[in-house]
Amino acid sequence: MKFLKRRKADASASTEPLKERYGLFFLHDVPDADVDIVAVHGLGGHFEETWTDSDSKQLWLRDFLPSQLNDVGIAARVMSYGYDSSTAFSKSVTDIEDQAKILIDALSSERASQSEKERPLIFIAHSLGGIIVKKAIITAHERSSIYAKLLDSIQALVFFGVPHRGSDLAYWSTYAARLISTVQMGLGTNKSFVEALTRNSQTFADISQSFTERAAPLKIRTFYETEKLYGYLVVDKDSARLGFPNENAVGVIAADHRTICKFNSRDSQRYRPVWKAIQALCAKKEELTASIPFPRDPLFLGREDVIDSVDAKFKTERRVALTGVGGVGKSQIAIEYCYQFKHREPDSNVFWIHASTKGRFEQAFKAISRNLRLPGWDNPVLNPLELVFDWLSGDSVWLLVLDNADDTDVLFDQPPTTTSQHPESQQPTVPLVMYIPQTSRRGSVLITSRNRDAAFRLTDCVENLIDVPYMSEEEATALLCRKLPKSDKSSDDEKLELVELLEYLPLAITQAASYIGVRSTRITVARYSDLLRQSGRILHENMGDARRDPSIPSSVFLTWQISFDQINKVNRSAAELLSIMSVFDRQGIPQRLLQDLDEDDLNFERRLSPLEDFSLITLDKSGESFQMHRLVQMAIILWLERHGEIDRWKQSAALLIKRSLPAGEYEFWKEWEILFPHTEIALKYHFPNPESQLLHARILVDTAYYLRERGAYGTAIERCQRALNIQVEILGEDDTETAGCVLLLAGLKRVGGGGSVCDINEAEVLSRRALAILERRQEKDSNNWSVAQNHLALALLDSNNDTKIEEGTQILRSILVSTEKSLGLEHNSTLTTMNNLALAFQRRRHKGYTEAEKLYRQVLETNLRILGDDHPSTITSLHNLAFLLFKQRKYQEAQEHAQRAVDLRVTVLGDEHPHTLMSMVTLVTVLRGQDKLEEAEELGRYALSLFKTVHGEVHYKTYETMADLGGVLYHRDKFEEAEELYRKVYERRPERWDDCDWDYFLIEYSDTLTEQGKHAEAAEISRQRVRP
């Protein structure tokens, strides 16, 4: 059914009745509106006539409200909802629910785009139309997983003669009798309809009562009648007012229940207060600048003393911490404080940082830099943490929440200077805590932490710690009452008994209420308390498994255990989903990792819904992944351990990870960045059976490939070696998988080792080992055979042994002939072999430069055409050609290619990737060859600092960079600095240098000493040349 009917918003349009009366109709439509206004009529009303003045025929919602808003710079769409009010209000509660759902479904359908979903929404209701609006808001709350966007966009309500008398049934019966006398609907006898309305008095009362608890975040404007209709006020002043602090109630002069929402002109004195109210309500809804994990909780209760303490401390301090046991409500208080802060400081920025892991901290800072569009936010060369730090250190007003700052290692540990263990993000160079300014004049940091020591270190003052206490008995009981379903009939004593069992802990109370609220459970408050007592002994017996966090009250785990038992009983698939989620990293779990390959979205939602209903998981604000509270994860793991299921789910997690992992190449890095934290968790699981061990080995191999591509050679070698040990033990030496792992290790040893002769020799041995396996398996025609031959040839080329170099060259010639014939000139294997053969020719120095250049150019041209200029393989071709051109003294072209290679590698790989560093050093040598010494020195110093960070002081590449920079400094007459670098290289000759390289270095070192008058030392150095 199509609910929305469009009409031209023309003041002169015909006022003849429409053939259609029911649905959502446009009274005024504009593109790119700032606000949506929706009117809902009451009993006996009409979507147009309810709002139309009988004398002037002016429909103010169409004829002058939109133009008035436009005059003050607000573009508004105005809609009116028509429905069969006689059926809705006289038959059953189901009819009211249906009309409310039809209304919000129609609105959701019309507000389909992202901008429309976020557009502010204002409801205008007359009489019992307010019941429909209230029920719509209640439904949106109850089904927030479906209507969350719509719910968040509801900004204000305008009520005309809407009754709000709550649970007073006598009033609702009297109101029904009064109301029926004011309308004419042709429904038969008035008496029968009065009786029908009276029967629904309980429904009206329940809806109004339930609405009062959900109205807190809304702006409400109430207009009440001032003249009697047929001898009485249908909705008197007291009944029309909610009495909320967020409500403003005004009487409409000379207006009865019928005419209260009809106006004859924009200049009418009766209309003026209505116009002013709507104008104010159409102001832009407050927003938070950055990621806040939850919308404002309309049921947030109490905690005024804690919030007041935060405000008081922020008057003199820049950092304040909320500390206390997990589940006590620290994060909820922080969320509420964010909204209050934003309300007081509308021009401020509010940021939320997940501080539980280094990765989440860095991701949050990246998001801030992106959302603020800080200069350089999209430049991979720049560190987003530094960009945000600089912005926070400025003059803007901001509040930053550091949530779950429990682990001191995350915030205070000095980052390692070796290869990154987290290649998915650019690495910080100082402890993360240093990126949060301490001297900002207008910024404040609110910290939540279970770890008082961590909080103290972050605030540096014990006076700035606020211990969040358990709720008082009154607060805990009130929270339970608010969270329980309205149908609950438990006594005050039963509720008090339950909150005492739950130790007045907000998270436990909320979870218990959610459990009781599941309709199919048939669990009362008293029954829930009985289950807690019965299960207490079991919980205490298993507490030994949870000693990792002794401050967690047992009742929290017990509450989650009962919730999980119930889900497991009524929806096994939902329980299984929660089980698998609990054994991944608890944050950033992507949906594709959880959803079965052949599972449709609707079934996945059915499995997911109970978990969200119990608040056991939450959806990230991105809408693309899920997260689980740490305590929930611990509770579920405890449950699985007690039931002997934990190993099953850990093995399932490993299988899902293996199924989801892509290849390690550049094209799949974004997927890897999402999956890498979960892969690291899966690699911690070990099982004795051969199948699981092989699965573990395969994940190790996949991550080793990825880490190799990201330049994390050390970690890749370690993982590859572990995988190889497992494969040899289970599969044996002569297996294709074993051969593949040997090949990966051979390549890693060659490019990622320390550059010693031992590493090169080991790479050669491993390559020959793989070839022997493949030969025994008669797999000479496989791709692995070609890969193994390439690895062997490269190891031979790196040996600096002429005989081995010639052997390697012949191997590459043979491979190239074979691959060209079988795969074609443009296949990746052919291009790789061609590139390696060019390197072989290059090793011959002047004798092979011409052939090498021809091959390099051919490979570069093909890669540019097939892969594009920003693909890592293309950039490698560009780098190789640049270096060869430098060797041939073709400096101009060499510089162009070298500079391009540096720029692209910095963008694609980052400036700390080993390949990027190699390109930097090549550009340094090219610049030096052109006497562009100042540029060469600047880049050389930067490259050397990065080499020390990535590879360490004693890596052969670090020494080669020292020698290159020393040469630049020598030619700039900076002899003392040059000598210092040369001396370090001299004391530890890079093993990959051949005699020619070493002699050239000794000449420059000797010349540097001579320039300083150190002739004896220079002569001694010169005498050590291999070829005097």
Side-chain angles (χ1 to χ4, degrees):
M1 177 179 180
K2 184 173 179 61
F3 299 113
L4 195 64
K5 320 296 180 185
R6 295 182 179 270
R7 302 187 65 214
K8 292 184 178 179
D10 188 340
S12 62
S14 171
T15 58
E16 294 180 4
L18 289 175
K19 293 181 180 180
E20 292 184 282
R21 294 169 55 94
Y22 307 140
L24 188 61
F25 299 85
F26 267 100
L27 301 180
H28 183 79
D29 193 8
V30 292
D32 301 323
D34 299 313
V35 63
D36 283 344
I37 298 174
V38 180
V40 182
H41 65 75
L43 182 65
H46 182 276
F47 78 91
E48 284 186 325
E49 294 171 2
T50 293
W51 317 100
T52 301
D53 179 72
S54 57
D55 295 326
S56 65
K57 306 302 180 185
Q58 291 286 295
L59 199 173
W60 64 280
L61 290 169
R62 178 193 67 199
D63 297 334
F64 43 87
L65 176 64
S67 61
Q68 285 181 289
L69 289 172
N70 186 67
D71 290 342
V72 295
I74 300 171
R77 295 195 306 180
V78 183
M79 293 163 269
S80 185
Y81 180 60
Y83 60 99
D84 186 349
S85 58
S86 62
T87 299
F89 295 117
S90 66
K91 289 190 175 180
S92 69
V93 64
T94 304
D95 295 287
I96 296 176
E97 290 176 350
D98 287 345
Q99 292 300 335
K101 190 172 184 304
I102 290 171
L103 171 59
I104 58 178
D105 282 341
L107 282 170
S108 297
S109 176
E110 178 60 24
R111 294 157 58 91
S113 70
Q114 187 63 30
S115 61
E116 288 173 332
K117 289 178 180 178
E118 296 174 354
R119 181 180 298 159
L121 176 62
I122 296 174
F123 281 109
I124 298 177
H126 174 241
S127 190
L128 283 184
I131 296 293
I132 299 294
V133 171
K134 291 176 184 179
K135 186 59 181 177
I137 293 173
I138 294 168
T139 301
H141 271 278
E142 291 175 342
R143 307 187 67 180
S144 60
S145 61
I146 299 175
Y147 300 113
K149 288 288 188 182
L150 184 70
L151 187 63
D152 289 346
S153 68
I154 299 174
Q155 180 167 310
L157 306 174
V158 179
F159 290 138
F160 290 94
V162 173
H164 302 299
R165 189 57 76 88
S167 58
D168 188 345
L169 293 181
Y171 164 77
W172 287 104
S173 298
T174 302
Y175 168 75
R178 289 181 178 180
L179 182 63
I180 196 64
S181 66
T182 68
V183 295
Q184 298 174 358
M185 297 175 291
L187 298 172
T189 65
N190 285 353
K191 180 179 179 181
S192 63
F193 197 78
V194 169
E195 291 174 350
L197 286 179
T198 302
R199 285 195 302 271
N200 274 336
S201 295
Q202 181 65 59
T203 298
F204 301 153
D206 289 345
I207 291 174
S208 292
Q209 182 66 24
S210 180
F211 168 76
T212 61
E213 299 178 4
R214 292 171 167 83
L218 303 175
K219 300 174 183 177
I220 301 175
R221 298 296 179 265
T222 294
F223 295 95
Y224 54 86
E225 54 213 64
T226 56
E227 288 194 355
K228 296 180 179 180
L229 182 64
Y230 300 133
Y232 47 78
L233 295 173
V234 178
V235 181
D236 59 28
K237 179 179 178 180
D238 290 338
S239 300
R241 293 187 303 175
L242 287 162
F244 292 167
N246 56 326
E247 178 195 34
N248 185 17
V250 178
V252 179
I253 59 175
D256 58 32
H257 192 69
R258 282 183 180 175
T259 62
I260 191 173
C261 56
K262 303 172 188 264
F263 308 102
N264 57 17
S265 78
R266 63 193 298 168
D267 299 320
S268 166
Q269 290 298 311
R270 295 174 58 250
Y271 173 69
R272 182 173 179 79
V274 174
W275 153 242
K276 288 298 183 181
I278 294 176
Q279 179 186 4
L281 293 177
C282 286
K284 188 177 180 181
K285 182 181 178 181
E286 69 178 57
E287 295 179 345
L288 295 179
T289 300
S291 177
I292 303 299
F294 302 102
R296 193 173 192 174
D297 184 1
L299 301 181
F300 184 82
L301 178 69
R303 303 299 197 174
E304 292 88 353
D305 54 341
V306 178
I307 291 177
D308 289 342
S309 296
V310 174
D311 272 330
K313 291 186 182 297
F314 271 149
K315 290 179 180 179
T316 57
E317 304 295 336
R318 297 272 63 83
R319 294 188 182 190
V320 175
L322 300 176
T323 62
V325 65
V328 78
K330 301 180 296 296
S331 296
Q332 294 300 317
I333 293 171
I335 292 169
E336 174 63 21
Y337 187 83
C338 286
Y339 283 93
Q340 293 190 18
F341 179 90
K342 185 67 175 178
H343 181 74
R344 293 195 306 266
E345 300 283 352
D347 296 327
S348 65
N349 295 277
V350 180
F351 309 114
W352 193 278
I353 306 295
H354 290 280
S356 55
T357 68
K358 293 182 179 180
R360 298 295 290 182
F361 186 103
E362 294 168 23
Q363 288 176 13
F365 265 60
K366 288 180 181 178
I368 292 172
S369 67
R370 179 175 62 251
N371 293 340
L372 292 176
R373 290 296 191 269
L374 300 180
W377 70 271
D378 56 349
N379 187 343
V381 178
L382 302 179
N383 187 340
L385 283 80
E386 294 178 356
L387 295 178
V388 174
F389 173 84
D390 291 340
W391 187 91
L392 294 174
S393 301
D395 293 329
S396 297
V397 178
W398 53 265
L399 171 67
L400 184 147
V401 176
L402 204 60
D403 193 35
N404 291 321
D406 305 325
D407 191 345
T408 56
D409 292 342
V410 169
L411 296 167
F412 294 97
D413 267 9
Q414 180 70 36
T417 57
T418 55
T419 302
S420 168
Q421 299 298 309
H422 300 279
E424 71 274 12
S425 61
Q426 177 159 352
Q427 296 300 298
T429 58
V430 298
L432 295 181
V433 69
M434 300 301 293
Y435 292 104
I436 303 173
Q438 297 194 43
T439 58
S440 173
R441 294 187 297 106
R442 307 182 70 191
S444 303
V445 180
L446 180 60
I447 299 151
T448 73
S449 179
R450 294 183 301 165
N451 186 339
R452 189 174 176 85
D453 176 63
F456 172 75
R457 293 179 64 180
L458 285 166
T459 59
D460 200 31
C461 179
V462 70
E463 299 299 325
N464 291 344
L465 306 185
I466 300 175
D467 290 323
V468 179
Y470 290 82
M471 281 187 157
S472 67
E473 182 180 292
E474 288 183 357
E475 287 177 327
T477 306
L479 177 63
L480 179 62
C481 291
R482 288 196 176 194
K483 296 289 185 179
L484 285 172
K486 297 306 166 188
S487 58
D488 179 75
K489 304 298 183 183
S490 303
S491 68
D492 291 342
D493 287 342
E494 288 172 333
K495 293 172 184 175
L496 178 58
E497 181 183 21
L498 178 56
V499 297
E500 287 175 347
L501 286 172
L502 295 175
E503 301 180 21
Y504 311 112
L505 201 63
L507 188 57
I509 294 168
T510 300
Q511 289 292 325
S514 298
Y515 179 85
I516 296 168
V518 177
R519 294 179 181 178
S520 60
T521 64
R522 300 178 182 176
I523 299 293
T524 64
V525 168
R527 177 59 179 156
Y528 194 93
S529 297
D530 288 341
L531 291 173
L532 280 174
R533 281 190 295 268
Q534 293 170 17
S535 303
R537 181 182 58 81
I538 298 175
L539 178 64
H540 286 299
E541 290 179 353
N542 287 276
M543 281 302 290
D545 293 334
R547 278 197 290 265
R548 291 166 294 182
D549 195 346
S551 65
I552 299 174
S554 60
S555 56
V556 178
F557 284 97
L558 185 55
T559 302
W560 282 320
Q561 173 196 318
I562 295 172
S563 299
F564 187 62
D565 280 336
Q566 185 63 26
I567 293 175
N568 193 39
K569 179 180 178 181
V570 301
N571 192 335
R572 177 63 183 170
S573 62
E576 291 177 345
L577 181 61
L578 185 62
S579 298
I580 193 66
M581 293 178 75
S582 71
V583 293
F584 287 124
D585 187 284
R586 68 182 185 87
Q587 294 178 312
I589 308 173
Q591 179 173 331
R592 67 174 178 275
L593 195 58
L594 305 171
Q595 189 169 359
D596 295 338
L597 294 175
D598 57 349
E599 183 179 22
D600 60 51
D601 290 341
L602 180 59
N603 189 64
F604 181 74
E605 289 299 324
R606 289 195 185 107
R607 293 201 293 148
L608 191 69
S609 181
L611 310 185
E612 291 184 300
D613 291 343
F614 278 86
S615 298
L616 294 174
I617 64 169
T618 57
L619 184 66
D620 286 351
K621 205 160 188 180
S622 65
E624 298 176 353
S625 58
F626 305 95
Q627 61 183 6
M628 178 183 294
H629 194 283
R630 180 183 288 106
L631 296 181
V632 176
Q633 185 182 47
M634 293 174 68
I636 301 307
I637 289 175
L638 178 64
W639 190 97
L640 294 172
E641 289 173 348
R642 284 182 32 249
H643 288 77
E645 295 188 17
I646 189 67
D647 287 351
R648 168 196 170 193
W649 291 110
K650 287 180 177 180
Q651 292 184 67
S652 296
L655 282 168
L656 287 174
I657 285 292
K658 182 64 183 78
R659 185 191 76 182
S660 303
L661 290 179
E665 280 77 13
Y666 165 70
E667 294 88 342
F668 306 103
W669 285 1
K670 290 189 180 299
E671 291 182 57
W672 266 103
E673 289 170 3
I674 295 171
L675 294 171
F676 194 80
H678 307 291
T679 305
E680 295 293 273
I681 295 293
L683 285 174
K684 295 178 181 178
Y685 302 146
H686 298 280
F687 305 98
N689 59 303
E691 293 81 6
S692 295
Q693 290 188 54
L694 280 177
L695 177 63
H696 186 79
R698 288 161 185 157
I699 297 175
L700 285 170
V701 169
D702 285 345
T703 58
Y705 271 113
Y706 170 62
L707 292 167
R708 180 194 66 180
E709 295 300 305
R710 299 303 298 253
Y713 297 132
T715 308
I717 290 173
E718 182 269 334
R719 294 190 178 188
C720 189
Q721 186 64 66
R722 282 164 53 196
L724 181 59
N725 293 340
I726 295 171
Q727 290 172 340
V728 170
E729 180 180 352
I730 297 176
L731 300 175
E733 177 76 7
D734 290 347
D735 187 88
T736 301
E737 275 194 63
T738 304
C741 193
V742 170
L743 282 176
L744 175 60
L745 186 58
L748 285 168
K749 284 289 185 178
R750 189 183 68 81
V751 301
S756 66
V757 173
C758 180
D759 291 316
I760 299 304
N761 289 340
E762 188 174 358
E764 179 186 344
V765 171
L766 287 168
S767 299
R768 293 188 187 278
R769 176 182 170 186
L771 286 167
I773 296 171
L774 295 171
E775 186 170 7
R776 289 193 294 272
R777 292 185 59 84
Q778 299 181 349
E779 295 183 11
K780 285 190 173 183
D781 293 332
S782 68
N783 182 62
N784 273 347
W785 180 264
S786 174
V787 173
Q789 285 188 307
N790 268 282
H791 277 304
L792 174 59
L794 290 171
L796 295 171
L797 294 180
D798 285 344
S799 67
N800 288 331
N801 180 292
D802 290 342
T803 301
K804 289 188 174 183
I805 290 175
E806 183 57 34
E807 181 186 355
T809 303
Q810 293 308 316
I811 290 173
L812 290 168
R813 287 183 185 274
S814 175
I815 301 171
L816 185 58
V817 171
S818 175
T819 54
E820 283 184 350
K821 181 178 179 181
S822 61
L823 302 175
L825 284 171
E826 295 186 351
H827 192 276
N828 181 59
S829 296
T830 305
L831 295 172
T832 298
T833 304
M834 198 178 295
N835 180 82
N836 294 341
L837 182 57
L839 178 62
F841 290 142
Q842 186 175 312
R843 289 283 195 270
R844 296 179 173 183
R845 299 187 181 277
H846 297 289
K847 298 178 182 179
Y849 284 163
T850 301
E851 291 177 271
E853 181 179 344
K854 179 181 177 182
L855 288 173
Y856 279 146
R857 290 189 184 278
Q858 185 175 347
V859 173
L860 175 60
E861 179 186 347
T862 304
N863 281 335
L864 281 170
R865 186 174 69 256
I866 297 175
L867 303 176
D869 64 349
D870 61 351
H871 192 280
S873 295
T874 306
I875 307 172
T876 296
S877 302
L878 199 64
H879 166 85
N880 291 341
L881 179 59
F883 187 75
L884 179 64
L885 292 170
F886 161 73
K887 287 291 187 180
Q888 299 177 84
R889 300 181 184 277
K890 300 178 180 180
Y891 294 131
Q892 187 58 43
E893 187 180 2
Q895 181 181 345
E896 293 174 4
H897 291 325
Q899 184 66 63
R900 182 63 175 157
V902 169
D903 293 342
L904 287 170
R905 277 182 164 168
V906 166
T907 300
V908 175
L909 304 176
D911 58 354
E912 292 188 2
H913 193 285
H915 291 175
T916 306
L917 300 182
M918 290 171 59
S919 290
M920 288 183 182
V921 173
T922 296
L923 181 55
V924 169
T925 58
V926 172
L927 292 170
R928 174 187 169 185
Q930 295 181 280
D931 289 330
K932 297 180 178 180
L933 300 177
E934 185 176 352
E935 296 176 60
E937 179 183 345
E938 180 181 1
L939 181 59
R941 290 184 186 277
Y942 180 59
L944 179 58
S945 69
L946 291 177
F947 265 111
K948 290 179 179 179
T949 299
V950 174
H951 292 301
E953 292 274 356
V954 297
H955 195 275
Y956 82 97
K957 285 290 185 183
T958 304
Y959 283 113
E960 287 182 350
T961 307
M962 286 182 184
D964 288 329
L965 179 57
V968 174
L969 295 172
Y970 167 78
H971 287 286
R972 297 206 72 193
D973 297 337
K974 298 182 179 182
F975 301 121
E976 290 185 5
E977 282 189 89
E979 179 189 351
E980 181 181 355
L981 293 173
Y982 280 146
R983 189 176 301 280
K984 291 180 180 179
V985 177
Y986 174 74
E987 292 171 353
R988 186 180 177 121
R989 171 179 172 175
E991 292 190 48
R992 291 197 180 188
W993 282 7
D994 60 20
D995 291 343
C996 184
D997 293 327
W998 183 244
D999 281 355
Y1000 184 78
F1001 164 75
L1002 292 176
I1003 291 172
E1004 290 202 330
Y1005 186 17
S1006 175
D1007 290 346
T1008 301
L1009 294 169
T1010 299
E1011 290 291 343
Q1012 299 177 83
K1014 301 178 181 181
H1015 300 291
E1017 291 181 61
E1020 176 61 27
I1021 295 297
S1022 184
R1023 281 193 293 270
Q1024 297 180 39
R1025 291 168 56 192
V1026 179
R1027 300 173 184 175

